[in-house]
Amino acid sequence: MNATITAIGGFVPTSILSNETISETVDTTVEWIEKRTGIKERRLATSKDQATSNLACAAIENLLENYDVDRKEIDCVLLATTTPDHLLTPTSSKVCEISGLTNAFGLDLNAACSGFLYALEMATTMIESGRYKKIIVVGADKMSSIVDYEDRNTCILFGDGAGAVLLEKTELGYGMMKSILRTDGSGTSALLVPAGGSKFPATMGTIVNRDHYIKQEGAFVFKKAVESMSSVSQDVLASNDLSVKDIDWVVPHQANLRIINAVSESLNIGIEKVKVNIERYGNTTSATIPLCLWDFAADFKQGQNILITTFGAGFSWGATCIKWGVMRKRLPAKSSKND
Ligand code: COA
């Protein structure tokens, strides 16, 4: 018995932050951003009722509207996010309430850009244990709540969004294969929000220092991302007895188009097999991978092998393979893609 993805949903806010607008506020150019990152625009949750829980619920609603699944049958919601609504209480509680998942328990999981993949692995083992039948894994981040729009090193990169998948069991031989997940705390200071947690609780000083915003050593993170995603992808292929020739699609974390290109080159997988939507959404952290699955779901055919790989703060990284299976029945379209 395997766990397999049977439904997908996604959501991005309608408000667009373009490179043109950024270049009017910090010392950069439209050309520099596009050439160095591949990003043309990102979506921002600008309305007051768009906290991370709302983004997650919009993605779940999109999934439930489009696939024939009863929300009362959902056993668990694993919410990967690095931008919870509050430090206390769990954002997943709000998600269960708003989405009417009255028979589910919810759990927040923070592993930065690797959160969705970690949550997917946890859900896989929960389904394969036989103790849970239907789990929603949702990656949602409102990065605009922790981005410093005066810092040209980071404000060009991030956007807001959410993506969700439903995981269930199958006995047809499709679904989730082996994963490799890694964590290494040596990267903590290279990518973090310094204050607001238990180490440096909020003070007037932390606010004045802008320590509640993301700080990043971009070039160092870039190098580690390319090395880690390349090597963990090779390892996960070997552990699943696959070679690069067996891979139909790669769904990489979307942090920088140059990272994606370098990983594809190092794996010797043609870029035409690599799914990319960073130009429209930027880096949505926990949401990049499910948003990419959602965006390109129509391209994935039964029996095709998909390689997923990610890298994020911590450092945290990993990879998995999926043999794409049978999706649940589609419902008559109520809503088209909400972007
Ligand atoms: N516009 C114009 N110039 C910029 C700039 C901007 N927005 N940001 C940085 N620069 C400048 C730097 O100040 C530096 O100038 P200098 O040479 O005079 O010192 C120069 O560009 C090169 O800086 P560097 O940081 O080496 O650029 P880069 O090519 O590495 O690109 C990032 C910067 C942030 C785009 C890139 O490093 C990156 O994407 N890093 C990884 C991001 C990531 O994956 N983060 C999340 C992990 S999930």
Side-chain angles (χ1 to χ4, degrees):
M1 180 185 57
N2 284 56
T4 190
I5 292 173
T6 58
I8 307 185
F11 176 79
V12 285
T14 49
S15 173
I16 292 175
L17 176 62
S18 66
N19 290 349
E20 284 77 8
T21 305
I22 291 182
S23 68
E24 285 160 15
T25 52
V26 292
D27 181 16
T28 189
T29 63
V30 171
E31 296 71 31
W32 195 97
I33 302 172
E34 197 174 331
K35 189 161 169 242
R36 304 304 290 169
T37 69
I39 301 166
K40 292 183 182 163
E41 58 187 41
R42 53 304 276 146
R43 301 300 183 96
L44 298 195
T46 49
S47 104
K48 281 205 179 92
D49 58 0
Q50 283 183 322
T52 294
S53 57
N54 305 105
L55 303 181
C57 289
I60 292 172
E61 213 47 45
N62 179 257
L63 182 155
L64 294 170
E65 271 175 12
N66 284 303
Y67 293 89
D68 187 16
V69 54
D70 181 353
R71 68 184 74 220
K72 301 274 182 271
E73 290 181 1
I74 305 299
D75 298 313
C76 170
V77 177
L78 294 182
L79 169 68
T81 186
T82 205
T83 50
D85 288 9
H86 309 279
L87 275 182
L88 176 82
T89 175
T91 305
S92 51
S93 313
K94 212 63 207 163
V95 169
C96 287
E97 186 202 15
I98 300 171
S99 293
L101 306 174
T102 47
N103 294 314
F105 76 93
L107 178 68
D108 289 21
L109 196 149
N110 178 356
C113 298
S114 301
F116 179 80
L117 192 58
Y118 283 19
L120 195 61
E121 173 68 357
M122 289 176 64
T124 296
T125 56
M126 288 167 72
I127 295 285
E128 289 177 358
S129 75
R131 291 175 77 134
Y132 301 92
K133 290 192 168 57
K134 292 187 177 67
I135 300 181
I136 289 181
V137 182
V138 51
D141 266 308
K142 182 174 170 178
M143 296 306 289
S144 59
S145 65
I146 55 169
V147 164
D148 184 350
Y149 288 99
E150 293 181 11
D151 176 9
R152 71 175 185 174
N153 293 297
T154 51
C155 74
I156 58 173
L157 297 172
F158 296 97
D160 302 337
V165 300
L166 175 66
L167 220 66
E168 302 181 71
K169 76 166 186 184
T170 179
E171 280 162 14
L172 298 175
Y174 300 117
M176 305 305 301
M177 298 187 219
K178 286 182 200 154
S179 304
I180 299 180
L181 307 178
R182 295 282 179 261
T183 311
D184 169 4
S186 68
T188 308
S189 61
L191 178 51
L192 85 167
V193 174
S198 61
K199 189 153 183 176
F200 299 112
T203 63
M204 287 306 286
T206 62
I207 292 168
V208 170
N209 285 337
R210 307 183 78 78
D211 282 342
H212 297 268
Y213 293 125
I214 299 175
K215 316 281 178 200
Q216 176 173 237
E217 291 172 37
F220 178 63
V221 175
F222 186 105
K223 194 165 167 275
K224 293 293 280 186
V226 174
E227 285 168 8
S228 307
M229 289 167 78
S230 303
S231 70
V232 79
S233 295
Q234 271 155 354
D235 292 347
V236 91
L237 289 178
S239 78
N240 285 299
D241 292 324
L242 294 171
S243 80
V244 290
K245 290 198 188 69
D246 300 314
I247 295 301
D248 297 288
W249 303 109
V250 183
V251 176
H253 171 53
Q254 315 273 311
N256 185 316
L257 183 60
R258 290 186 298 127
I259 294 178
I260 295 172
N261 287 338
V263 171
S264 127
E265 213 169 283
S266 124
L267 293 175
N268 202 17
I269 294 183
I271 196 70
E272 69 285 352
K273 289 187 172 180
V274 182
K275 294 303 189 190
V276 175
N277 60 8
I278 191 171
E279 73 283 1
R280 285 174 284 143
Y281 305 144
N283 181 352
T284 54
T285 305
S286 310
T288 63
I289 289 169
L291 271 179
C292 220
L293 292 171
W294 175 64
D295 248 355
F296 296 107
D299 294 344
F300 306 147
K301 307 290 178 242
Q302 217 172 297
Q304 288 189 328
N305 292 320
I306 301 175
L307 168 68
I308 297 181
T309 183
T310 191
F311 180 86
F315 294 123
S316 59
W317 68 102
T320 196
C321 297
I322 305 176
K323 187 169 284 294
W324 201 249
V326 185
M327 301 295 276
R328 276 185 164 258
K329 192 169 140 238
R330 298 280 300 199
L331 295 172
K334 263 194 214 158
S335 66
S336 59
K337 282 199 169 174
N338 47 34
D339 59 346

